[in-house]
Amino acid sequence: MSSSTPFAGLPDDARALLRAIGPRWGRDIRANSDWVKALYQPLLAVAPRDGVAIERDVAYGTHPRQRLDVFRPTAPRADGAVVVFVHGGAFVRGDKRTTEEIYDNVLLWFARQGLLGLNIEYRLAPEARHPNGAEDVALAMAWAAANVGRVDGNAQRIFLIGHSAGGTHVATYACDPALRHRGGDAAAAVLISARLRADRLPENPNAANVGAYFGDDAGADDAASPVTHAGCCTIPTMIVIAEFENPLLDVYGLEFAHRLAVAQRRAPRLLFMRQHNHMSIMAHFNTDEDRLGREILDFFASVT
């Protein structure tokens, strides 16, 4: 049963705890993230996954982390739409499966709607520095464009979703004019709780990780930030923010949307997920709550 109610499908005590975590999210991001994952684990473990075949750890490059999982629907959509998902992890950590269920749940939901799903991993800082994350996205997208036709996918309908640091890499791929592949193989992009400005402010608990990825010269952060290049974005873009974000990510999401609107003379699709936090905004996929998924599908349908 589908619902737009936040945390639908969870037991009452879990919903109450998630509501309590929200206002204090930024005080201890790592601990609160672990709580959210634990609260969703039992629900996701029994969530539907019928009609989806999964192929793990397909190489799209030569590095050990340049791997992707393929989620193939047994009943694909007529338009062959493909969704490529890029996980978060504050640039220095994270995997395409941060738990046994997350982020499989995201691609399972989309595959159950008939879309071919690709869940990618990428190189991490400090080994990988800006713009290596975006370069890995470009490499994965090129792989997708060359290969999805073999499994009922349409290379002209590849949609890209990035969460948190993954959203940084997606936005850089889509917008930065210094990258020759800018937007290349994507029909559209969705930026969910993305870090769209590199900052090392005291209120940013991940400031050290920003430095690990963007380098030692903080003076170069503005030039490297996706928000600086929002006006150069060449593909339709949707921005999604949670009510309870890592400090300033919601502000940067709004800033990005404004700059994009000014450049394009039209407001982009913007969604505010009430009661959700930086992790639950992804953890709730493939549960009874499907508002975000349905909004994204509607956005995809609007892209001609």
Side-chain angles (χ1 to χ4, degrees):
M1 182 177 67
S2 64
S3 173
S4 62
T5 303
F7 318 133
L10 287 168
D12 290 345
D13 57 345
R15 292 202 302 271
L17 186 51
L18 281 164
R19 294 190 192 100
I21 286 172
R24 64 172 190 260
W25 173 263
R27 299 177 195 170
D28 191 340
I29 290 171
R30 294 292 298 276
N32 287 328
S33 181
D34 288 344
W35 265 109
V36 173
K37 293 172 188 175
L39 290 169
Y40 271 98
Q41 172 63 26
L43 184 61
L44 293 175
V46 297
R49 56 196 71 212
D50 52 296
V52 183
I54 305 175
E55 182 181 3
R56 300 283 186 191
D57 295 319
V58 178
Y60 68 85
T62 58
H63 190 278
R65 286 190 60 89
Q66 290 172 332
R67 299 290 184 271
L68 58 84
D69 293 341
V70 181
F71 291 70
R72 185 178 180 183
T74 55
R77 289 182 5 163
D79 69 351
V82 181
V83 61
V84 176
F85 179 73
V86 188
H87 66 80
F91 304 110
V92 299
R93 58 182 175 268
D95 300 281
K96 52 187 168 63
R97 300 183 77 194
T98 190
T99 71
E100 284 296 307
E101 306 298 337
I102 304 169
Y103 296 97
D104 271 9
N105 64 313
V106 178
L107 286 306
L108 282 167
W109 188 85
F110 280 105
R112 291 179 57 236
Q113 316 313 310
L115 287 80
L116 178 68
L118 305 180
N119 189 11
I120 77 166
E121 263 177 23
Y122 51 87
R123 292 170 292 167
L124 300 175
E127 176 189 4
R129 295 287 186 99
H130 173 80
N132 290 162
E135 290 169 347
D136 283 2
V137 171
L139 192 62
M141 291 295 290
W143 183 96
N147 288 279
V148 295
R150 303 175 189 175
V151 284
D152 302 315
N154 180 353
Q156 303 304 310
R157 299 287 290 171
I158 303 177
F159 300 101
L160 187 53
I161 301 175
H163 173 239
S164 195
T168 309
H169 302 324
V170 168
T172 301
Y173 164 78
C175 303
D176 194 331
L179 304 181
R180 58 184 174 81
H181 49 62
R182 180 161 47 111
D185 295 301
V190 181
L191 309 176
I192 303 177
S193 298
R195 172 162 291 285
L196 297 170
R197 179 175 288 283
D199 81 64
R200 312 183 199 206
L201 298 172
E203 58 199 297
N204 177 8
N206 286 321
N209 299 332
V210 168
Y213 180 67
F214 284 94
D216 298 330
D217 182 9
D221 285 352
D222 188 62
S225 294
V227 71
T228 301
H229 310 293
C232 299
C233 192
T234 58
I235 59 175
T237 302
M238 176 179 179
I239 299 98
V240 183
I241 55 177
E243 182 174 2
F244 305 110
E245 283 289 4
N246 293 5
L248 297 177
L249 294 195
D250 50 348
V251 176
Y252 300 150
L254 292 173
E255 183 183 12
F256 187 96
H258 173 71
R259 292 194 180 198
L260 190 59
V262 169
Q264 298 184 350
R265 315 309 297 166
R266 183 170 183 258
R269 186 80 65 105
L270 176 65
L271 181 63
F272 178 78
M273 289 294 288
R274 189 176 63 85
Q275 296 188 34
H276 275 286
N277 58 58
H278 186 76
M279 178 51 63
S280 67
I281 202 169
M282 302 311 308
H284 80 275
F285 271 88
N286 211 33
T287 69
D288 288 347
E289 181 187 358
D290 66 356
R291 178 192 173 200
L292 177 54
R294 294 297 171 189
E295 292 274 4
I296 291 174
L297 288 181
D298 184 70
F299 170 63
F300 291 168
S302 73
V303 176
T304 57

